[in-house]
Each structure stands twice: as C-alpha cells, then as structure tokens.
Amino acid sequence: MARNIFDNSTFFSEYMKLRSEKNYNDLLEQPEMAKLLPPLSGKAVLDAGCGYGANCRSFSECGAERVVGIDISKKMLEKARRENSLGNIEYLEKDMADISDLEGPFDLVYSSLAFHYVKDFEKLIQDIHGLLAPRGVLLFSQEHPVVTATKDYRGHFDDFGHYVFGDYQAEGKRYGTWFVKDVESYHRTAATILTTIAKNGFRITDVIEPVPSSMALRERPDLEKDFIRPTFLIVKAFKDTY
Amino acid sequence: MARNIFDNSTFFSEYMKLRSEKNYNDLLEQPEMAKLLPPLSGKAVLDAGCGYGANCRSFSECGAERVVGIDISKKMLEKARRENSLGNIEYLEKDMADISDLEGPFDLVYSSLAFHYVKDFEKLIQDIHGLLAPRGVLLFSQEHPVVTATKDYRGHFDDFGHYVFGDYQAEGKRYGTWFVKDVESYHRTAATILTTIAKNGFRITDVIEPVPSSMALRERPDLEKDFIRPTFLIVKAFKDTY
C-alpha cells in the first residue's frame, strides 16, 4: 500500500494553502490536461488520485454520466464529498496499487500528478487497460522523470539558468521533502513509462512537456524557469490491443 | 540543405579515428538498435544517414532483398562504395531534407544518430510515412533531447555526479564543437519528437534510453556516467494510419 502523506495534518493544511493560490498545477499542468480531454458527454470516467474532487466535479458538469474518484486520503475524500458532490459522482477510498476490482468499463481513466506515487507501474497500466472500454482513453500527468531522477530529490536550478540532476537511470524509490519529510515517490525513466504503455495494449497519441503560456507568465513570472527543463510529463493514449 | 560537416577533411579523419575504437555508438547505441531490428529476410530497407555503409552491409547480410543508403557526405559514400558494396545495396548522395522522391516502398526505414541534423522533423516523418509499406517499421536513434538542449552545446557533467543542462523548451538550431567548430544540429523536445510521430500515422512500440551493459562498462568504465543522464533516444514505431 502506498504511503499516504495526504492524511498527515501538517501536510494537509499546507497543501490546501498551496492549492488556494495559483500554482504549478493550475498554470502549467491543468491547462494542458484540459486541452487533451476527450468529449465526456454520456461517458464513464475514473479519476485515479482524485484528491478533493475538483476534477470529478468538472467531468460531471461536462456531461459525464458516471464519475468515480478514488484516493487513499480520507481527508481529501471528506473534502471531496463535502464540496464536490454531485449525484453521479462516487468517491472511494482506494489505493492505486490494485484497482482491478473496480467496476468498469470506463471511457476515460484520468490521473493528475499521482502515478509517481505508485510502485508497480506495469500492473497499474494493465489494471487500467482492463477497466477501459475498447478505444477508451488514458490521460495522465506526472512529475517529469528529469525531476524525479535525483536521489533525495536534490535536483535543482543553479545560478546560471541551468538545471542540475542525476541518477536518471537508477529507477526506484525516492524520498523528498514537500511540507513534511520523507515523502515517498517512484522514479521511472521516460523510456520505461512510454514503452510500458505501448507494450500493454495502448496506442500513444500525445506526449506533452508543458510550457508556461504568456498568460501564466504574467501571473507568475517565476514560471520562466520552466523553459530550462521539462517539469511535467503528460501522456494520452487509447486502448487498442492487437 | 543540411550543412555537411562530414566532408570537412579534419572532421572526416578525426571521425574515422573515433569509429575505429570502441565508442558510444558501438557500446551504447548500436546494441539497442540491433535488438529492435525486425526480421529483414526478403525486405526492403532504407538507411537514412548511412555514413560509410556498415549497417547497410549488415542489413544485406541479414537477408534484406534491397538496401538503399543515403547520405549527404561524398567522402562517406566513397568509403561505403569501396568497403561496403554488395550487389543489392544502392548508395545515394541525398539530403534528408526531402526524401519524398525516393522509390519505395520500404519495410524498414532505419536511421542511426542522424535525425538531429534535420531541420524540419515533421516533413521527415511524413516523407518516411509515404515511403513505408503498410506496417513498415521506422527505427531511429538520436542524441537525447536533454543532451541537445543547452545552447552552444554547453551541457556538462559536474564534479558531483550530476548533469547540468538548460534551454530545454527552446527548440531550434544549436551549434557545437565536434572535432571542428560550428557543427549544426537541431534541438527538439522529447514531446515534439514523440507526438510528431504519433500524429503522423505511426504507432509507437518502443521508446528506449539505452543504459551501458556490464560488458560495455568493463570495456569502457567511463560509460558509468551514462547512468547519470540519458544519452540517446531510440524510437521504434510502425506505419498504422487510422
């Protein structure tokens, strides 16, 4: 079972403060994810790592017929049920380590910035394949492998406009500090992520390393540094077994 | 037309010296490319940027029925014709900027470490699509975008086991020194490379960032640094238009 930092109360309050301002997710990752969404009218959607349900609510409002949001954090799900409940949304406390017992089929499996917490990526992709309808879409974002690579998360920008990283080819567990100590995640190379998807019955249609828009830069000029290195990796693929 | 450093005589002699030793290409890139080759018996193969024809010779020896090698360097092609001529190999002096007029169809378009010299990547991919038979394979390697990114090719390893790079999202021309000054190439992000392939009628099956084998490390212990950052990007895809 993945370690659940989101129920740590220090983490939870700091995270909520972060999410209440315009941040990376809002300005860099979410706009690109939104562009890649397929039409949702009448569709069944699974949001894996749904957090407090903001996207589940949007999917429902965009016409999805059934929305399932899963998360391992009780606190996130409480907030989701309180603030983002609509009749056709179901929130479940569930680890992504095994989602094969969810009731499909889904037309879209969506996941924003959560897959880097999952240890067994191939099982995850196979489970998703099993849950998707034929031609169903997988759309996910995660931290970019160049960012997750460095052991102890010590990748950093230097004073000369460069990014410094290492340990790229050493896949596995990483520990970092994000409000609280010892946040666990898993580093995988871009090659592993993409080949695992391609080999498990998916056709990749989009690989995106988002760049800040001029609007985003006006709002947060420090996003300028996201031209130096790729920050997120977004992949869209559809189920298409041969 | 791409600038042709390979006919610069300083470059040519230094390059030949490099290729006569066991190097990156032999130890890191070529073994992975070989693993990904489809069966060649009775097939037609285009080698785009064939250099002095060592791979064209192998393809022919592996049973390919027709092999076409193209390169912009007269010197390389002279050596290819002198040393790697077999009855079913044709060598052509040709820039990859426009290969739409070659006579297809090919079952495999192969290219080793040459695509980063091509300015218009989408045209290249579309030309290759036009030359391939249905289900024909595209297999190519290039310098990794993390390596091509930094302007003036100033990406480097620091003293702490890290790699330092920048300018990742600024695609376009790069100048570097490789035996001679001002070697021109083009930086593209991994996202651009992969999405361009996916959007132009290909199904991606493999994305590889090769790691040195233990055998390679015994031969050249300095390859250890290739665990720090990805050095090459290899992509295999097949023509599969919807």
Side-chain angles (χ1 to χ4, degrees), chain A residues 43-44 104-108 128-138 201-203 237-241, chain B residues 242:
Chain A
K43 303 294 187 183
F106 294 98
D107 302 292
L108 169 66
I128 290 170
H129 191 271
L131 292 171
L132 279 171
R135 301 268 161 162
V137 169
L138 165 63
F202 285 95
R203 179 166 171 147
F238 65 86
K239 176 171 173 166
D240 183 30
T241 316
Chain B
Y242 280 93

Side-chain angles (χ1 to χ4, degrees), chain A residues 156 158 160-166 228, chain B residues 146-147 150 153-166 228-229:
Chain A
H156 60 275
D158 70 11
F160 307 99
H162 292 134
Y163 187 70
V164 182
F165 78 108
I228 295 172
Chain B
V146 154
V147 176
T150 319
Y153 260 85
R154 295 217 172 115
H156 60 276
F157 293 96
D158 70 12
D159 296 336
F160 307 98
H162 291 135
Y163 187 70
V164 183
F165 79 107
I228 296 172
R229 59 126 209 236

Side-chain angles (χ1 to χ4, degrees), chain B residues 7-166:
Chain B
D7 280 341
N8 173 303
S9 58
T10 308
F11 180 89
F12 190 79
S13 65
E14 290 296 323
Y15 180 82
M16 284 306 154
K17 216 186 293 170
L18 174 78
R19 294 305 301 264
S20 68
E21 299 156 4
K22 284 277 184 190
N23 61 22
Y24 263 136
N25 300 25
D26 302 315
L27 293 172
L28 196 54
E29 181 255 355
Q30 282 291 304
E32 288 297 328
M33 291 290 273
K35 279 187 219 162
L36 294 168
L37 277 176
L40 293 179
S41 181
K43 303 295 188 183
V45 181
L46 172 64
D47 186 348
C50 66
Y52 58 82
N55 282 320
C56 286
R57 187 189 189 97
S58 301
F59 300 150
S60 174
E61 287 169 351
C62 287
E65 194 173 289
R66 177 184 176 222
V67 179
V68 177
I70 65 166
D71 209 285
I72 44 167
S73 162
K74 284 190 211 310
K75 282 183 195 257
M76 287 287 180
L77 292 170
E78 270 166 32
K79 189 171 154 78
R81 291 190 183 108
R82 207 164 52 234
E83 297 177 11
N84 291 310
S85 269
L86 290 169
N88 59 350
I89 306 177
E90 185 183 7
Y91 290 112
L92 298 172
E93 186 187 333
K94 192 156 182 57
D95 192 331
M96 274 191 278
D98 183 4
I99 56 170
S100 61
D101 58 346
L102 285 172
E103 202 192 318
F106 294 97
D107 303 292
L108 169 66
V109 174
Y110 176 98
S111 181
S112 169
L113 301 177
F115 281 7
H116 46 267
Y117 296 120
V118 176
K119 184 176 180 183
D120 188 342
F121 187 68
E122 185 156 33
K123 171 161 171 54
L124 176 65
I125 294 301
Q126 288 168 345
D127 282 357
I128 290 170
H129 191 271
L131 291 171
L132 279 171
R135 302 267 159 161
V137 169
L138 165 62
L139 172 60
F140 73 92
S141 63
Q142 65 151 74
E143 291 192 289
H144 198 283
V146 154
V147 176
T148 60
T150 319
K151 285 180 181 170
D152 303 320
Y153 260 85
R154 295 217 172 115
H156 60 276
F157 293 96
D158 70 12
D159 296 336
F160 307 98
H162 291 135
Y163 187 70
V164 183
F165 79 107

Side-chain angles (χ1 to χ4, degrees), chain A residues 12 54 69 114 133-134 149 154 156 170 181 190 192 210 214 232 236:
Chain A
F12 191 78
R154 296 220 170 113
H156 60 275
K181 275 190 177 176
T192 292
S214 49
F232 298 115
K236 183 177 177 183

Side-chain angles (χ1 to χ4, degrees), chain A residues 171-233:
Chain A
E171 297 191 319
K173 205 178 272 192
R174 296 292 189 270
Y175 295 98
T177 298
W178 190 33
F179 306 131
V180 295
K181 275 190 177 176
D182 294 335
V183 177
E184 269 182 36
S185 62
Y186 291 89
H187 168 62
R188 285 176 275 269
T189 66
T192 292
I193 293 165
L194 294 165
T195 302
T196 301
I197 295 165
K199 294 291 183 207
N200 282 284
F202 285 95
R203 179 166 171 147
I204 295 167
T205 58
D206 300 82
V207 179
I208 307 291
E209 296 165 320
V211 178
S213 66
S214 49
M215 206 191 68
L217 281 168
R218 272 196 300 277
E219 197 141 352
R220 271 195 56 171
D222 64 320
L223 288 175
E224 188 67 50
K225 71 181 184 309
D226 292 278
F227 288 101
I228 295 172
R229 58 126 211 238
T231 302
F232 298 115
L233 179 68

Side-chain angles (χ1 to χ4, degrees), chain A residues 7-41:
Chain A
D7 280 340
N8 173 304
S9 58
T10 308
F11 180 88
F12 191 78
S13 65
E14 290 296 322
Y15 180 81
M16 283 307 154
K17 215 185 296 169
L18 175 77
R19 293 305 301 265
S20 68
E21 298 157 3
K22 285 278 187 190
N23 61 23
Y24 263 136
N25 299 27
D26 302 316
L27 293 172
L28 196 52
E29 181 255 357
Q30 282 291 305
E32 288 297 328
M33 292 290 273
K35 278 186 219 162
L36 293 167
L37 278 176
L40 293 179
S41 181

